[in-house]
Amino acid sequence: MITFSHLIHILKKYKKKHNKFYFITFPVTQTIIALIIADFKLTEPYSAEFEFFIIILCWGIFLLILIFSDFYDLIKKNCLTGIERVKMILIFAAKSTLGIFLFLVFLFLIWPGNFVFIIRNPGWIVSKFITNEEQYKKEVYSDSTYALFYINELELTTKEILKEEELFKKNFTQMTEIEKDKISGLWMRFIDYVSGLRYIQNKYVSYSSIKESLKNNENVESIIIEASCLLAKVKNTYEIVELLNNNKILENYLNYGYVTNIFPRNEYFFLKQELGSILNIYHLKKLFSYFDNGNFSISDNMEMNDLLNYINSNEIYIRELYEGRKFDLYSENFFEQLDKFTNFILSPARKSIMITLTGIEYGPRKNKLISGNEIKNIEKMLSPGDILLRRNKWQVTNIGIPGFWTHSGIYTGSLQKLDEYFAGIESLDGLKFSEYLQQNYKKIYDYYNDNNPSVIESIAPCVSLTALSNIAESDFFAVLRPELSKEDIFKAIIKAYEFYQTPYDYSFDFFTDDGLICSELISKSYYTDDTKRGLNFYYNEYENKPILYPNDIAKKFAVDYGTDKEELDLVVFYDAMDIEESSFINSVEAFIQSSERSKWDF
């Protein structure tokens, strides 16, 4: 049986055998390996648990070696002189201090909500005393009124959200725009009231550190205000977290918004992290302790009495919540933060690999089946706003893209064609399209004059204006025309122009506009909003976020064809017979079937 001393002896030998650099980097390298394994989902459905186990194990071994290897020498070498023994004791004390410090730092990292709590509640560290008594009374009276208003409105908003339980648990990719708008409105109200409470709380948070005299009703109003604000935030946030119950797509929606980016970034994530923060729990308990040894009443301030009643009626609920759900909140927050950290660490490597693979072909044929005169014939059929779909055989990147169709873009045509097509529409207010472009998007106007592009598409490295041949010179090609008014198509093209030179999105994140993939450009350009009618796509799911692949655009046509939901017309479909190395125009039925073809059809 291996005893603790045996374990220390083994670790000591390990430390001597390996150089210091390897020893120091051991937990770091093993952690990175764990993150990579989890990122590729090789241990699903226990990826997060696997990461956690490896990280704890590696850092645990590191700390054991660091602290106890010298302690083993100290207790075994009785022949040491007094000075030598004192020197070893000092070395051991220094290493133990360093090891304990590193361990505490690591524990702090395990619960990243502590960072969130400090960042979003600066008053917890920085005291902000109001020295003028008259100013203090004025502020307290005003803030107690605002605090009560925010709490009541937050409670009402939470109740409305809970009434929509079925909506909030619905698959996000199947939601209508009306349903998304309803969720957006409720969530905006929720975070508005939470932000108001946080602002008031941070004004009074320093008072909870004042002397024991607070228990004798001196400045107790400030404690009531702070405690009620913090309690309301915790209570209502917890109820929302329980409602979503790890509905990750909706959580990401509340963090980023969709298309319009109407929400503060990562707001849901921060609220959830605060909920599981050790410092947050400690602070709540500290506040509650002021009310444990007596009954307080503020007879001349009705709002303050209402706030006190709110604390008394919810204190037990909050205490029981943290007793029953403490570990769950910690672990959920840790794994969520670990997942974000993994994506942050590995995204550069993922991007580098994808850039390397882009454009690589391994087939026997170099020339595309559609080229030259066929592209000229295709262009004669096109109108501004048409959606273009493409597939090339034998491309390495086809392996990583689900479905048969692998790339998409939007046809705009030349400036002359744009002038002719949109002549007289209301949005131009008497201008030609080219004149409107020159006034509002001069950079794009100049590019049209210098290069005469006819397509806007998202390709590496960014959203670009290109020639039709750039996308149409291919093995398979299709054109879909939105059944929308010229006004709506005009607004869709203008929206696409607004994304010009936006970087390619190697994270495939439809919840942000920091980068766009090809089909994301189409999705966001043809998004329905208050100013225009758009297209209703059917989204897939990727890493807990909705995504639209090029093949999904073809599937939309197939699903909607011949129904009252039909929003796209097929202009042309160039199919191919690789054996004969030729392309040909095929039927609507063949195009419908193409969306079901295998991605492995090289």
Side-chain angles (χ1 to χ4, degrees):
M1 187 175 188
I2 298 177
T3 64
F4 184 72
S5 60
H6 287 131
L7 177 62
I8 297 301
H9 184 67
I10 293 169
L11 296 175
K12 179 175 173 291
K13 288 179 69 176
Y14 174 86
K15 182 181 176 184
K16 283 186 176 181
K17 184 177 178 181
H18 297 84
N19 61 55
K20 289 183 179 179
F21 176 77
Y22 183 85
F23 162 66
I24 292 170
T25 57
F26 171 76
V28 178
T29 54
Q30 299 305 309
T31 298
I32 291 173
I33 290 171
L35 295 178
I36 291 172
I37 291 173
D39 188 61
F40 284 98
K41 314 298 181 187
L42 298 181
T43 55
E44 283 292 323
Y46 303 108
S47 294
E49 288 80 357
F50 173 80
E51 288 176 291
F52 181 75
F53 172 76
I54 293 295
I55 292 169
I56 290 289
L57 179 65
C58 295
W59 280 92
I61 292 172
F62 170 75
L63 291 173
L64 282 172
I65 296 171
L66 182 68
I67 297 173
F68 291 109
S69 59
D70 288 308
F71 179 70
Y72 182 82
D73 288 336
L74 182 63
I75 61 176
K76 288 295 182 183
K77 293 182 180 179
N78 296 319
C79 58
L80 294 175
T81 65
I83 295 175
E84 290 172 334
R85 186 169 289 277
V86 169
K87 189 184 293 186
M88 287 196 69
I89 290 172
L90 291 174
I91 292 171
F92 170 70
K95 288 191 174 183
S96 298
T97 303
L98 175 61
I100 292 169
F101 173 75
L102 290 173
F103 181 69
L104 291 175
V105 169
F106 180 66
L107 282 178
F108 206 66
L109 290 171
I110 287 178
W111 290 289
N114 297 326
F115 288 114
V116 174
F117 179 77
I118 288 175
I119 291 169
R120 291 163 69 84
N121 299 277
W124 195 76
I125 293 178
V126 182
S127 294
K128 299 177 182 178
F129 290 94
I130 302 173
T131 54
N132 185 294
E133 186 176 349
E134 185 177 341
Q135 180 194 359
Y136 169 75
K137 289 181 179 179
K138 188 176 180 181
E139 290 281 329
V140 164
Y141 179 81
S142 173
D143 289 335
S144 63
T145 303
Y146 280 118
L148 186 61
F149 170 77
Y150 287 137
I151 288 172
N152 289 335
E153 291 301 314
L154 183 62
E155 290 282 348
L156 286 173
T157 303
T158 302
K159 286 178 182 177
E160 286 187 46
I161 292 173
L162 295 178
K163 285 180 182 178
E164 299 292 340
E165 179 179 1
E166 187 175 336
L167 173 61
F168 275 80
K169 291 187 175 181
K170 186 176 180 179
N171 187 329
F172 183 85
T173 60
Q174 297 175 3
M175 286 185 187
T176 65
E177 299 308 322
I178 293 175
E179 289 173 328
K180 291 175 188 174
D181 288 343
K182 189 170 188 177
I183 289 175
S184 299
L186 288 169
W187 180 240
M188 281 299 296
R189 281 170 53 193
F190 185 90
I191 58 179
D192 279 348
Y193 298 134
V194 165
S195 298
L197 290 172
R198 181 182 294 110
Y199 173 77
I200 294 173
Q201 178 200 345
N202 278 327
K203 286 177 66 175
Y204 294 92
V205 74
S206 60
Y207 286 97
S208 62
S209 302
I210 304 177
K211 301 173 185 178
E212 293 290 315
S213 59
L214 280 170
K215 291 182 179 178
N216 299 321
N217 272 15
E218 183 181 312
N219 292 340
V220 72
E221 297 99 333
S222 60
I223 302 300
I224 293 174
I225 292 174
E226 186 200 351
S228 60
C229 289
L230 181 56
L231 188 148
K233 284 195 309 177
V234 168
K235 174 180 177 289
N236 289 279
T237 298
Y238 175 74
E239 290 179 351
I240 300 301
V241 169
E242 284 292 286
L243 172 66
L244 296 187
N245 193 24
N246 289 322
N247 182 348
K248 293 298 181 183
I249 297 185
L250 189 52
E251 286 186 18
N252 282 319
Y253 176 68
L254 299 183
N255 278 323
Y256 299 111
Y258 181 67
V259 180
T260 51
N261 289 317
I262 57 175
F263 306 141
R265 185 69 62 91
N266 280 319
E267 186 67 23
Y268 180 83
F269 170 76
F270 287 141
L271 285 172
K272 191 175 178 183
Q273 290 290 318
E274 277 188 273
L275 198 61
S277 163
I278 296 173
L279 296 179
N280 195 39
I281 296 169
Y282 164 75
H283 202 53
L284 264 173
K285 286 184 176 180
K286 189 176 179 182
L287 288 170
F288 288 158
S289 70
Y290 290 121
F291 305 100
D292 285 343
N293 299 322
N295 295 317
F296 299 98
S297 62
I298 315 295
S299 57
D300 60 341
N301 189 327
M302 289 182 60
E303 288 82 2
M304 198 67 71
N305 277 315
D306 288 340
L307 292 177
L308 186 59
N309 290 334
Y310 182 79
I311 293 169
N312 292 331
S313 60
N314 289 285
E315 180 183 349
I316 295 175
Y317 171 83
I318 297 298
R319 289 181 188 270
E320 291 178 349
L321 157 65
Y322 277 115
E323 288 302 318
R325 286 273 281 123
K326 190 183 297 182
F327 180 75
D328 290 341
L329 292 171
Y330 292 164
S331 60
E332 285 171 16
N333 283 353
F334 170 71
F335 290 136
E336 195 169 316
Q337 183 66 19
L338 193 60
D339 186 54
K340 283 181 174 287
F341 178 70
T342 302
N343 287 328
F344 174 76
I345 291 295
L346 297 180
S347 59
R350 189 187 297 137
K351 177 180 177 180
S352 178
I353 291 170
M354 294 182 68
I355 290 173
T356 302
L357 295 178
T358 299
I360 295 179
E361 298 186 9
Y362 54 91
R365 173 173 47 79
K366 292 185 178 179
N367 296 328
K368 303 303 175 192
L369 300 181
I370 304 170
S371 61
N373 289 330
E374 286 174 315
I375 294 177
K376 291 179 181 178
N377 292 331
I378 289 171
E379 185 152 28
K380 293 175 183 176
M381 308 178 198
L382 301 182
S383 295
D386 285 351
I387 297 171
L388 314 176
L389 297 177
R390 180 192 76 188
R391 176 184 176 83
N392 287 325
K393 287 194 172 187
W394 308 106
Q395 279 196 333
V396 174
T397 49
N398 290 358
I399 297 172
I401 302 173
F404 180 78
W405 296 99
T406 58
H407 184 56
S408 56
I410 299 174
Y411 178 77
T412 64
S414 64
L415 281 180
Q416 181 182 352
K417 197 164 190 175
L418 287 162
D419 282 343
E420 293 172 357
Y421 186 78
F422 291 113
I425 67 168
E426 186 178 345
S427 295
L428 289 175
D429 195 23
L431 296 174
K432 290 183 178 180
F433 185 97
S434 55
E435 292 171 340
Y436 178 90
L437 207 59
Q438 186 178 20
Q439 288 183 14
N440 297 280
Y441 300 91
K442 187 154 190 323
K443 189 176 183 179
I444 294 175
Y445 173 80
D446 291 341
Y447 192 87
Y448 267 98
N449 277 327
D450 295 339
N451 300 277
N452 196 33
S454 54
V455 172
I456 184 166
E457 56 181 333
S458 185
I459 52 177
C462 63
V463 176
S464 306
L465 294 165
T466 61
L468 177 61
S469 58
N470 193 66
I471 187 172
E473 191 171 318
S474 56
D475 293 328
F476 300 85
F477 189 72
V479 180
L480 295 170
R481 182 163 297 156
E483 296 179 355
L484 297 172
S485 69
K486 288 186 178 182
E487 286 280 351
D488 291 327
I489 291 173
F490 166 81
K491 291 173 183 175
I493 290 176
I494 294 301
K495 184 65 178 178
Y497 287 153
E498 291 174 1
F499 293 119
Y500 179 57
Q501 294 187 331
T502 299
Y504 191 84
D505 187 5
Y506 292 96
S507 299
F508 304 100
D509 187 351
F510 269 51
F511 276 139
T512 68
D513 289 342
D514 302 336
L516 300 177
I517 65 171
C518 62
S519 48
E520 187 177 4
L521 175 65
I522 293 169
S523 169
K524 292 186 175 179
S525 298
Y526 278 107
Y527 183 74
T528 300
D529 58 28
D530 293 338
T531 66
K532 74 176 190 302
R533 182 182 160 218
L535 300 174
N536 297 295
F537 293 107
Y538 306 120
Y539 293 87
N540 268 296
E541 182 179 338
Y542 173 77
E543 291 192 348
N544 299 317
K545 294 171 185 175
I547 191 169
L548 182 78
Y549 296 109
N551 198 63
D552 293 326
I553 299 173
K555 277 189 176 180
K556 170 182 172 53
F557 177 85
V559 171
D560 294 349
Y561 184 69
T563 71
D564 57 0
K565 293 182 179 180
E566 187 174 328
E567 295 179 324
L568 295 168
D569 292 327
L570 179 67
V571 177
V572 67
F573 168 40
Y574 271 82
D575 209 343
M577 295 180 64
D578 198 45
I579 297 176
E580 299 178 9
E581 294 196 353
S582 63
S583 62
F584 60 95
I585 296 177
N586 213 338
S587 64
V588 173
E589 289 73 21
F591 176 72
I592 290 173
Q593 187 275 331
S594 73
S595 65
E596 299 300 326
R597 292 181 189 177
S598 170
K599 64 179 283 182
W600 304 105
D601 183 4
F602 297 116

